[in-house]
């Protein structure tokens, strides 16, 4: 096509939807038929606003970016960032930016998004009052928060709660102020909102309802808020999150029709009142509705691209299902959350106040279809329920079964994604169907999640559907009789389990030998630590002999690396029991080396801030005092937590401390696919939280109950009961089998819970293997475990006594200087890492 | 890696055996920190700045070296951003590239090539 025949497309707004429009257009047509020009007001190319809060968790600009500047260049798109479009001349079909740049369009796309709505409260213009929408807002908030102590967030909706969580994470005491009588009024009913309130208060967030803020008072910066009901609240920082206002100023000025309360009016083709101008995303007002979510915006982008490239598509209504992220309490609403779309719809409710869980689903009058619902406190069923509602799947005879949870546990079953109809939407952000994903797997032969993501775009938005993609991949391969092989990386075409067998059978003791025998290339940061862990599980030899450089940094220096490059020191304190003398030693050592001390969540003491060259000296002193490595750095047994038990406790049935120590000493140093934690409680009151551990032991009148495969962490899961009323010897026998079976068969970096979740046959099968010895490998597992236990020795002790290993613990090889970039500041009478650029006073 | 021709000065860093096999160690040159890697498996040596561009941690020398599609690389111990040991480019992200230096071994000593003196 001749350059002059190309259509000029101008996009105003380079936010999520504006970007998505460009991406979809060039994907569909290449850059042959159009010239694309984009104006973006913000100083950087479009970024993922949905994940904005992850900025506080350490994500930086690059992590959030939708595509780098080079992408636009590559695609021949002229991108002008930091340029607000200020003038739209419809007669001459031009757009002019505030820098005076004028471009001509054939078709204009307005993707101007929205801005935060700031209610006209007295004092909103003070320094220290923020909105929460852009990277700049978050930068300003972070900076201001350093000198603040109490935040007030005005608005208790989806965004307000997210902002409140961020304020709390910045260390501020935080209150949420909501005008309505309940939180998230658009997504939750009264009981649901009540459950959410209770849960958030449990996280130390103050919630004030029915509050109309009339004044943000203070001298220059906020000091307090006044409410219409006479109430008063101290706060030195304010975040306003009271709703959004569509950015329709450019459209309005040019005489396009806009809604009474804002928004550029569009029809089902997303055309504005001028047929050469389209509006998409949060600035578009469609059938009286502004969609404040990204998925409908993407759908709008898609519709316009279709229509510009000869297709015919319409944007009709769009599902507003959402799952609240980050706040620490699961909340989701989907479909028709309030059951208002049909007459006589019936609601089915679980209101479990003891667990803080509220689930409500709305079912059609005939009980055949799921209309929608809401989940608070436990949203595990969200994806499944959303699928059922969107696809009109038939319901079980008693719909309450849908939300009871933990059903069918023994068989490990549930409804299979693979059996969904092909047109069911799996990724709602990118509107990708099950059929499209299966095509990529089955026709194009893509058999890993990354390829599926890049081929279909599924899972690249909120990433909520990634677990379903994973299931779909596995189930599709199984359905075709294909073995699902999770190979380690490009250097080994084997699964972890296969490599483990090879190492044992061929008695391979080093990484290079293994690579020469069965691998290719020179290895990488994926296979090296995985093999290191396998070698350790196979032979339990010292992790540094001949293999220091294939260990993850924490294993290589036998300590966890921390901000600024110093390390932490955590000696083992079996069962959490420690003598006064040892406590004194720790105190003295921390003073001697200038370390920060803290009681850990695992019932022991962490000394932090040790320079790499200090580590061997500190450990020498510790070992001298009778301590040994706590393996806090390894994918290995960490702690076996205990409660005080029958020695002291009036309820204790048996001696939980003694048993915990016995078990911790038995398995100390045991390397596994992931870290292992245990707990022993002296009675059902469960003060050791054993049911949150990889293995948990709880005393009963008759003996001990054994629970397995629990964990806290990112996805907490309760441990499941494996066997009851065991004596100590039998329990240890089962535990040997269980742990060794896990070590031999799990994938690298799968905790026991993940391993069990993937196990065909689930808990029932595990019971058979461990308790009934159905595979006849019980004795073999016990022997293998005993061999590992026999060769245990403290790895720090060996380093301390081995001059050659000890020499590796320096910062420079050619100088005894310490790393000059390591700096500390005083913080509550202890040293902590000083931020970059920090200078000592005086 | 920069070409040897541009080298103005070879800095004698340390003995070969001071460097772990298939791993790195940090060398101090004036107030610079340079990570030097002994890639025994490939029989090659590499060097780059010790500071990771991601969070400015002085850490690359403690990173893990490896190879991807033939390209030698180092992965930062903090968040596993990986950098090519030849071009210095960030392989799995969009961090700034790291500066790389030529290395030579003579008479049991490791030398780092510097383009300024
Ligand atoms: C020190 C400690 C926090 C504290 O001050 O209390 C801690 C600190 C770290 N935890 Fe933890 N965890 C600590 C108790 C816990 C607990 C509580 C417990 O053990 O009862 C949990 C939840 C329970 C669980 O694991 O099931 C916990 C769940 C995690 C997770 C998430 C694991 C998961 O399966 O989701 C990680 C990440 C990982 O391991 O991949 C993690 C990773 C980390 C790392 C190692 C992150 C890292 O690589 O730098 C932190 C090292 C800090 C350092 O420099 O030492 N930490 N961590 C606790 C040390 C306990 C100990 O004595 O060894
Ligand atoms: C903290 C936060 C969390 C969120 N979480 C979720 C979530 O979990 N799920 C969800 O679905 N949605 C969420 N959203 C909403 C989602 O981010 C928006 O729906 C989405 O960004 C809308 O995209 P857009 O392109 O229409 O608008 P925007 O992303 O706002 O982009 C519009 C862009 O246009 C620019 N612009 C405006 N006028 C002009 C002009 N005249 N000239 C040049 N440029 C102009 C603006 O500066 C802006 O960069 C969240 C929003 C925030 C702020
Ligand atoms: S100690 Fe654990 S929870 Fe705390 S910041 Fe580190 S990894 Fe996260
Ligand atoms: S500091 Fe190196 S990867 Fe983050």
């Amino acid at each position: 096509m001749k350059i002059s025949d190309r259509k000029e497309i101008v996009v105003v707004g380079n936010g999520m939807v504006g970007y998505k429009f460009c991406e979809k257009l060039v994907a569909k047509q290449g850059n042959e038929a159009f010239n694309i020009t984009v104006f973006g007001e913000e100083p950087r190319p479009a970024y993922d606003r949905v994940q904005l809060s992850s900025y506080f968790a350490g994500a930086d600009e690059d992590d959030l970016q939708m595509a780098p500047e080079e992408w636009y260049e590559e695609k021949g798109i002229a991108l002008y960032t930091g340029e607000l479009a200020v003038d739209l001349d419809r007669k001459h079909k031009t757009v002019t930016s505030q820098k005076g740049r004028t471009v001509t369009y054939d078709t204009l796309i307005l993707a101007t998004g929205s801005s935060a709505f700031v209610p006209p409260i007295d004092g909103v213009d003070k320094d220290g009052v923020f909105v929460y929408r852009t990277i700049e807002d978050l930068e300003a908030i972070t900076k201001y928060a350093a000198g603040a102590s109490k935040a007030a967030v005005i608005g208790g909706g989806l965004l307000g709660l997210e902002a409140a969580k961020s304020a709390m994470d910045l260390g501020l005491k935080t209150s949420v102020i909501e005008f309505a009588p309940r939180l998230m009024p658009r997504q939750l009913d009264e009981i649901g909102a009540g459950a959410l309130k209770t849960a958030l208060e449990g996280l130390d967030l103050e919630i004030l309802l029915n509050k109309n803020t009339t004044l943000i008072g203070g001298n220059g910066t906020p000091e307090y808020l006044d409410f219409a009901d006479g109430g008063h609240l101290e706060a030195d920082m304010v975040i306003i999150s009271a709703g959004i206002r569509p950015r329709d100023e450019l459209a309005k000025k040019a005489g396009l029709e806009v809604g009474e309360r804002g928004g550029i009016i569009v029809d089902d083709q997303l055309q504005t009142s001028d047929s050469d101008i389209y509006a998409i995303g949060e600035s578009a007002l469609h059938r009286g509705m502004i969609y404040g979510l990204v998925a409908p915006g993407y759908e709008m982008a898609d519709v316009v691209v279709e229509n510009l490239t000869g297709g015919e598509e319409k944007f009709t209504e769009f599902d507003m299902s959402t799952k609240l992220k980050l706040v620490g309490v699961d909340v989701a609403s989907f479909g028709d959350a309030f059951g208002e779309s049909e007459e006589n719809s019936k609601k089915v409710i679980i209101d479990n106040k003891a667990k803080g869980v509220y689930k409500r689903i709305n079912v059609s009058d005939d009980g055949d279809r799921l209309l929608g619902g809401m989940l608070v406190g436990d949203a595990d069923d969200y994806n499944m329920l959303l699928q059922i509602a969107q696809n009109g799947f038939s319901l079980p005879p008693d719909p309450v079964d849908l939300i009871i949870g933990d059903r069918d546990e023994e068989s490990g079953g549930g409804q299979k994604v693979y059996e969904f109809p092909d047109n069911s939407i799996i990724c709602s952000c990118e509107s990708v169907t099950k059929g499209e994903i299966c095509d990529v797997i089955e026709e194009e032969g893509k058999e890993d999640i990354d390829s599926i993501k890049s081929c279909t775009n599924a899972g690249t938005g909120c990433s909520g559907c990634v677990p379903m993609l994973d299931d779909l991949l596995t189930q599709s391969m199984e359905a075709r009789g294909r073995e699902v092989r999770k190979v380690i990386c490009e250097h080994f075409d084997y699964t972890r389990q296969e490599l483990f067998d090879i190492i044992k059978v061929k008695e391979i003791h080093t990484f290079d030998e293994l690579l020469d025998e069965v691998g290719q290339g020179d290895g990488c940061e994926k296979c090296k630590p995985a093999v290191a862990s396998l070698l350790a599980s196979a032979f339990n030899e010292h992790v540094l002999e001949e293999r220091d450089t294939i260990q993850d940094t924490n294993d290589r220096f036998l300590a966890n690396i921390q901000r600024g490059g110093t390390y932490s020191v955590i000696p083992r304190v079996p069962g959490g029991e420690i003598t006064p003398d040892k406590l004194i030693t720790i105190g003295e050592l921390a003073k001697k080396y200038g370390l920060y001390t803290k009681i850990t969540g695992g019932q022991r003491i962490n000394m932090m801030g040790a320079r790499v060259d200090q580590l061997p000296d500190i450990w020498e002193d510790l070992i001298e005092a009778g301590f040994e490595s706590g393996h806090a750095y390894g994918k290995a047994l960490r702690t076996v937590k205990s409660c005080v038990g029958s020695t002291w406790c009036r309820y204790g049935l048996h001696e939980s401390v003694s048993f915990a120590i016995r078990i911790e000493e038995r398995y100390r140093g045991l390397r596994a696919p992931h870290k292992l934690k245990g707990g022993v409680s002296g009675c059902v009151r469960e003060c050791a939280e054993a049911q949150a551990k990889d293995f948990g032991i709880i005393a009963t009148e008759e003996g001990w109950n054994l629970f397995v495969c629990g964990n806290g962490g990112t996805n907490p899961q309760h441990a499941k009961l494996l066997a009851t009323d065991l004596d100590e010897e039998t329990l240890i026998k089962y535990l040997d089998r269980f742990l060794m079976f896990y070590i031999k068969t799990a994938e690298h970096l799968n905790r026991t819970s993940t391993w069990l979740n993937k196990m065909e046959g689930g808990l029932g099968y595990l019971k058979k293997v461990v308790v009934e010895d159905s595979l006849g490998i019980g004795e073999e597992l016990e022997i293998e475990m005993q061999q590992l236990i026999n060769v245990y020795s403290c790895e720090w002790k060996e380093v301390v006594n081995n001059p050659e290993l000890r020499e590796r613990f320096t910062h420079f090889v050619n100088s005894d200087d310490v790393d000059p970039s390591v700096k500390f500041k005083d913080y509550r009478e202890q040293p902590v890492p000083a931020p970059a650029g920090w200078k000592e006073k005086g | 890696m920069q070409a040897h021709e541009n080298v103005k000065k070879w800095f004698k860093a340390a003995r070969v055996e001071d460097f772990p096999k298939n791993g790195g160690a940090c060398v101090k040159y004036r107030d610079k920190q340079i990570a030097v890697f002994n890639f025994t498996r490939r029989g090659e040596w590499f060097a780059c700045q010790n500071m990771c561009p991601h969070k400015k941690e002085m850490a690359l020398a403690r990173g893990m070296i490896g190879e991807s599609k033939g390209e030698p690389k180092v992965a930062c111990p903090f968040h596993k951003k990986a950098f090519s040991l030849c071009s210095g480019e960030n392989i799995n992200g969009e961090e700034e590239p790291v500066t790389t230096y030529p290395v030579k071994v003579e008479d049991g000593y490791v030398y780092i090539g510097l383009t300024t003196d």
Side-chain angles (χ1 to χ4, degrees):
Chain A
M1 190 176 289
K2 281 201 319 249
I3 302 273
S4 56
D5 292 344
R6 291 187 177 186
K7 245 176 121 180
E8 295 293 335
I9 300 213
V10 174
V11 184
V12 177
N14 185 227
M16 298 187 74
V17 175
Y19 162 76
K20 192 50 77 174
F21 170 81
C22 296
E23 184 197 289
K24 285 183 189 263
L25 186 62
V26 291
K28 188 110 207 278
Q29 284 277 303
N31 44 15
E32 296 291 296
F34 301 104
N35 287 328
I36 308 175
T37 306
V38 181
F39 285 111
E41 175 191 19
E42 293 186 67
R44 65 195 94 235
Y47 54 89
D48 190 347
R49 210 178 297 289
V50 172
Q51 303 297 337
L52 194 61
S53 297
S54 65
Y55 178 86
F56 290 123
D60 56 23
E61 263 176 51
D62 292 355
D63 298 327
L64 290 178
Q65 214 167 48
M66 309 285 299
E69 253 162 291
E70 297 83 68
W71 179 86
Y72 296 87
E73 256 166 58
E74 237 168 68
K75 304 291 177 198
I77 298 172
L79 170 66
Y80 301 114
T81 51
E83 285 200 41
L84 182 73
V86 286
D87 202 39
L88 162 56
D89 178 347
R90 287 165 53 201
K91 200 162 139 230
H92 300 99
K93 297 178 97 173
T94 60
V95 177
T96 306
S97 78
Q98 107 261 41
K99 290 193 182 157
R101 191 190 312 273
T102 299
V103 292
T104 311
Y105 65 83
D106 295 312
T107 304
L108 177 67
I109 314 289
L110 296 173
T112 46
S114 57
S115 55
F117 167 62
V118 180
I121 302 169
D122 244 358
V124 281
D125 49 354
K126 287 194 163 54
D127 278 349
V129 180
F130 300 94
V131 297
Y132 197 84
R133 177 133 194 122
T134 63
I135 291 190
E136 284 71 25
D137 292 335
L138 266 63
E139 280 170 353
I141 289 173
T142 315
K143 217 161 139 197
Y144 195 86
S149 60
K150 181 140 194 334
V153 176
I154 300 183
L158 217 67
L159 274 182
L161 292 178
E162 196 175 315
K165 176 66 173 29
S166 297
M168 282 205 300
D169 289 347
L170 287 170
L172 305 185
K173 179 98 192 70
T174 305
S175 310
V176 171
I177 298 147
E178 170 59 49
F179 182 74
R182 62 172 194 264
L183 290 172
M184 293 180 65
R186 293 171 60 178
Q187 287 86 9
L188 297 180
D189 63 16
E190 219 177 294
I191 317 177
L196 175 60
K197 177 166 181 277
T198 311
L200 291 175
E201 285 167 345
L203 298 174
D204 216 19
L205 188 62
E206 186 183 34
I207 311 280
L208 303 168
L209 301 174
N210 286 315
K211 290 273 183 258
N212 181 4
T213 312
T214 50
L215 173 72
I216 301 174
N219 189 4
T221 58
E223 286 161 27
Y224 62 91
L225 278 66
D226 280 343
F227 306 120
D229 63 2
H232 176 87
L233 177 78
E234 307 273 316
D236 50 11
M237 182 174 114
V238 179
I239 302 177
I240 296 189
S241 181
I244 54 173
R245 280 292 170 271
R247 299 273 304 262
D248 57 10
E249 63 272 9
L250 184 68
K252 205 169 173 175
K253 197 171 134 200
L256 294 175
E257 271 177 45
V258 296
E260 221 169 277
R261 290 185 22 239
I264 309 166
I265 295 178
V266 292
D267 61 15
D268 286 358
Q269 268 79 33
L270 302 162
Q271 261 160 346
T272 63
S273 52
D274 177 335
S275 61
D276 290 326
I277 304 179
Y278 294 79
I280 55 178
E282 274 186 355
S283 57
L285 183 67
H286 176 258
R287 298 192 191 172
M289 170 101 177
I290 294 284
Y291 287 92
L293 293 176
V294 71
Y298 283 6
E299 176 66 20
M300 290 179 182
D302 198 53
V303 168
V304 177
V305 166
E306 280 301 319
N307 290 334
L308 290 181
T309 54
E312 251 177 59
E313 246 194 84
K314 280 187 177 173
F315 181 86
T316 46
E317 58 196 327
F318 202 91
D319 190 71
M320 291 294 278
S321 305
T322 36
K323 199 166 159 188
L324 187 60
K325 34 182 208 293
L326 290 168
V327 289
V329 183
D330 275 0
V331 184
S333 82
F334 62 98
D336 173 14
F338 293 92
E340 292 159 335
S341 62
E342 280 184 26
E343 257 175 63
N344 300 326
S345 68
K346 307 218 155 39
K347 55 182 176 188
V348 179
I349 285 177
I350 290 183
D351 183 15
N352 185 343
K353 292 223 161 54
K355 283 198 159 173
V357 171
Y358 174 71
K359 300 183 183 182
R360 163 179 173 176
I361 52 175
N362 308 307
V363 177
S364 62
D365 190 19
D366 53 14
D368 275 354
R369 281 166 304 113
L370 178 61
L371 304 175
M374 57 190 79
L375 307 166
V376 178
D378 170 5
D380 285 355
D381 297 331
Y382 172 72
N383 272 328
M384 187 59 69
L385 292 171
L386 181 64
Q387 292 296 328
I388 296 176
Q390 284 181 346
N391 295 303
F393 292 166
S394 58
L395 304 185
D398 185 354
V400 77
D401 283 344
L402 289 174
I403 48 174
I404 283 179
D406 275 1
R407 290 150 290 141
D408 225 4
E409 215 168 67
E410 294 274 316
S411 70
Q415 193 166 0
K416 289 200 161 175
V417 209
Y418 191 65
E419 285 153 16
F420 288 3
D422 274 349
N423 61 1
S424 40
I425 301 277
I426 301 291
C427 169
S428 30
C429 296
E430 295 278 346
S431 300
V432 187
T433 62
K434 179 218 149 195
E436 287 168 296
I437 297 167
C438 284
D439 275 355
V440 168
I441 302 172
E442 293 167 10
E443 309 292 322
E444 295 178 36
K446 303 290 185 224
E447 294 182 350
D448 61 287
I449 295 294
D450 285 344
S451 314
I452 297 176
K453 279 187 178 173
S454 63
C455 290
T456 60
N457 264 345
T460 56
C462 73
S463 65
C465 64
V466 174
M468 279 179 114
L469 295 182
D470 207 28
D471 289 348
L472 196 52
L473 175 62
T474 315
Q475 291 165 14
S476 143
M477 296 194 48
E478 277 166 2
R480 289 171 296 137
R482 294 275 307 282
E483 189 193 352
V484 187
R485 297 180 74 238
K486 304 251 160 129
V487 302
I488 297 209
C489 70
E490 65 181 90
H491 303 105
F492 291 99
D493 202 15
Y494 294 96
T495 64
R496 181 183 182 279
Q497 193 176 347
E498 289 162 347
L499 278 184
F500 190 67
D501 292 339
I502 293 172
I503 287 171
K504 289 208 87 169
V505 172
K506 300 199 170 193
E507 290 207 32
I508 291 176
H509 286 257
T510 68
F511 180 76
D512 273 3
E513 261 178 83
L514 187 68
L515 205 52
D516 291 337
E517 283 272 335
V518 298
Q520 57 253 333
D522 303 318
C524 68
E525 72 278 9
K526 281 208 185 88
C527 56
K528 284 182 171 180
V531 170
S533 148
L534 285 171
L535 290 170
S537 293
F539 309 113
N540 213 0
E541 292 162 346
H542 198 277
V543 294
L544 295 192
E545 297 285 5
E546 287 290 320
R547 45 180 108 108
D548 55 335
T549 55
I550 59 164
Q551 308 285 350
D552 261 328
T553 189
N554 289 352
D555 281 283
R556 180 166 169 200
F557 293 99
L558 303 177
N560 286 321
I561 197 166
Q562 301 171 309
R563 277 183 185 218
T566 62
Y567 288 88
S568 63
V569 174
I570 310 186
R572 189 167 292 291
V573 178
E577 184 183 79
I578 186 162
T579 61
D581 277 337
K582 282 191 163 169
L583 280 173
I584 290 169
T585 307
I586 289 186
E588 283 173 350
L589 275 180
K591 271 194 182 166
K592 176 169 164 190
Y593 294 98
L595 305 174
Y596 166 100
T597 52
K598 177 181 182 300
I599 308 290
T600 72
Q603 294 191 337
R604 37 194 197 173
I605 299 167
N606 196 350
M607 288 170 267
M608 297 187 238
R611 293 190 319 260
V612 66
D613 56 286
Q614 292 176 316
L615 286 172
D617 300 341
I618 297 172
W619 276 103
E620 184 161 17
D621 291 351
L622 280 168
I623 286 162
E624 169 96 32
F627 285 102
E628 51 179 25
S629 167
H631 297 93
Y633 44 81
K635 302 296 173 223
L637 180 82
R638 297 279 170 89
T639 61
V640 178
K641 272 167 95 162
S642 78
C643 73
V644 59
S646 60
T647 322
W648 292 91
C649 176
R650 62 192 164 129
Y651 295 114
L653 295 169
H654 314 301
E655 265 194 69
S656 46
V657 180
S658 306
F659 200 25
I661 295 175
R662 179 173 172 198
I663 289 183
E664 183 158 342
E665 289 185 340
R666 181 172 181 81
Y667 300 118
R668 63 190 161 183
L670 183 69
R671 288 276 188 314
H674 207 309
K675 60 190 178 195
L676 283 168
K677 298 180 177 183
V680 183
S681 280
C683 81
V684 285
R685 285 166 195 78
E686 246 282 71
C687 300
E689 299 170 306
Q691 287 168 98
K693 302 290 172 220
D694 297 278
F695 56 88
I697 299 164
I698 301 174
T700 65
E701 298 282 349
E702 326 295 329
W704 303 93
N705 282 351
L706 175 59
F707 292 79
V708 291
C709 302
N711 62 240
T714 321
N715 288 307
Q717 190 162 315
H718 276 140
K720 313 228 158 29
L721 186 59
L722 187 79
T724 51
D725 297 329
L726 306 172
D727 58 66
E728 293 195 7
E729 300 319 311
T730 315
L731 189 142
I732 285 181
K733 180 162 95 178
Y734 288 173
L735 210 43
D736 279 359
R737 292 178 180 178
F738 164 74
L739 291 173
M740 207 62 218
F741 189 46
Y742 163 64
I743 289 173
K744 294 182 76 163
T745 60
E747 284 166 51
H748 189 49
L749 295 184
N750 279 3
R751 289 283 295 262
T752 53
S753 60
T754 317
W755 170 67
L756 178 66
N757 294 346
K758 291 184 185 170
M759 193 181 289
E760 188 94 16
L763 182 67
Y765 177 74
L766 185 63
K767 269 187 192 163
K768 285 203 185 97
V769 175
V770 173
V771 180
E772 294 163 27
D773 195 11
S774 62
L775 299 179
I777 54 169
E779 205 184 321
E780 184 189 324
L781 295 173
E782 289 160 44
I783 293 172
E784 284 176 304
M785 179 61 84
Q786 195 54 50
Q787 286 167 345
L788 293 181
I789 293 167
N790 292 345
V791 296
Y792 165 82
S793 65
C794 169
E795 39 201 37
W796 262 114
K797 192 167 179 180
E798 290 184 43
V799 171
V800 164
N801 295 323
N802 179 334
E804 212 179 296
L805 289 179
R806 228 178 137 142
E807 232 176 71
R808 311 246 172 96
F809 289 78
T810 53
H811 186 73
F812 295 114
V813 271
N814 62 336
S815 157
D816 290 334
D817 289 359
V818 300
D819 180 359
S821 68
V822 172
K823 291 207 175 72
F824 297 99
K825 62 170 187 176
D826 267 349
Y827 200 62
R828 286 189 293 272
E829 297 168 53
Q830 292 211 70
V832 298
W838 179 86
K839 288 204 186 62
E840 240 159 309
K841 279 194 208 104
Chain B
M1 204 177 354
Q2 295 159 354
H4 285 214
E5 296 86 77
N6 301 334
V7 172
K8 283 221 181 101
K9 172 180 179 181
W10 286 101
F11 171 62
K12 186 172 181 179
R15 290 170 311 159
V16 165
E17 56 273 25
D18 292 335
F19 295 89
K21 289 196 183 111
N22 285 310
C26 184
V27 167
K28 184 176 160 89
Y29 170 70
R30 296 190 185 160
D31 50 10
K32 263 201 181 75
Q33 300 197 17
I34 300 176
V36 177
F37 302 97
N38 177 9
F39 211 145
T40 333
R41 196 179 160 82
R42 296 168 70 98
E44 292 178 290
W45 289 79
F46 299 96
C48 69
Q49 70 189 52
N50 193 32
M51 188 186 75
C52 174
H54 180 219
K55 296 281 170 185
K56 317 273 180 276
E57 298 284 2
M58 283 295 179
L60 292 178
R62 296 181 217 169
M64 194 178 286
I65 54 173
E67 158 270 330
S68 172
K69 306 197 176 73
E71 176 106 344
K73 60 174 180 176
V74 56
C76 174
F78 272 85
H79 314 96
K80 298 242 164 119
K81 302 271 182 199
F83 300 88
S84 159
L85 288 170
C86 294
S87 66
E89 300 287 331
N90 179 199
I91 296 172
N92 56 355
E94 268 121 32
E95 301 303 328
E96 293 286 303
V98 294
T99 307
T100 56
Y101 301 89
V103 182
K104 72 173 182 186
V105 175
E106 263 172 35
D107 307 327
Y109 277 89
V110 177
Y111 293 81
I112 303 170
L114 301 160
T115 45
T116 51
D117 39 22

